[in-house]
Amino acid sequence: MEVETFDSVFDALADTPAEAANMKARSELLSALNSQIRSWNLPQEAAAARLGITRPRLNDLLRGKLGKFSLDALVNLATAAGLVLEIRVAAAA
């Protein structure tokens, strides 16, 4: 049996490099949002209202349900949370 190695878990899970890049970007945004929201020390209802989403939607975010959020949705939530996004692009190795 041949053992495959990958640079990241996203490369192992995704079918294409583009899908892996999308998953990685969403994961990083989700993590940053999670940290920001938890730093507010607010009840979920108040945090959800601050972001303009429902409490169940916030719960999905806080539980890390990556598949339930598009990149666009996470960018919008990050902006609503007061985060500033920076995009860095580099040539593939």
Side-chain angles (χ1 to χ4, degrees):
M1 178 155 106
E2 186 178 327
V3 176
E4 285 187 78
T5 58
F6 298 92
D7 290 335
S8 77
V9 68
F10 303 111
D11 292 329
L13 293 172
D15 293 330
T16 65
E19 184 182 353
N22 186 284
M23 289 174 72
K24 183 177 180 189
R26 288 187 295 134
S27 175
E28 289 178 13
L29 274 169
L30 191 90
S31 179
L33 273 162
N34 213 318
S35 295
Q36 179 76 349
I37 294 163
R38 291 186 190 282
S39 76
W40 295 340
N41 292 319
L42 294 174
Q44 282 193 2
E45 282 293 333
R50 189 169 178 175
L51 294 171
I53 59 175
T54 64
R55 195 210 47 77
R57 186 87 168 135
L58 176 69
N59 197 31
D60 287 341
L61 184 75
L62 295 175
R63 290 181 181 269
K65 294 188 177 180
L66 189 61
K68 292 195 171 217
F69 295 91
S70 69
L71 187 54
D72 284 350
L74 290 168
V75 166
N76 293 340
L77 288 170
T79 302
L83 298 173
V84 176
L85 277 73
E86 295 179 6
I87 297 174
R88 185 175 44 104
V89 179

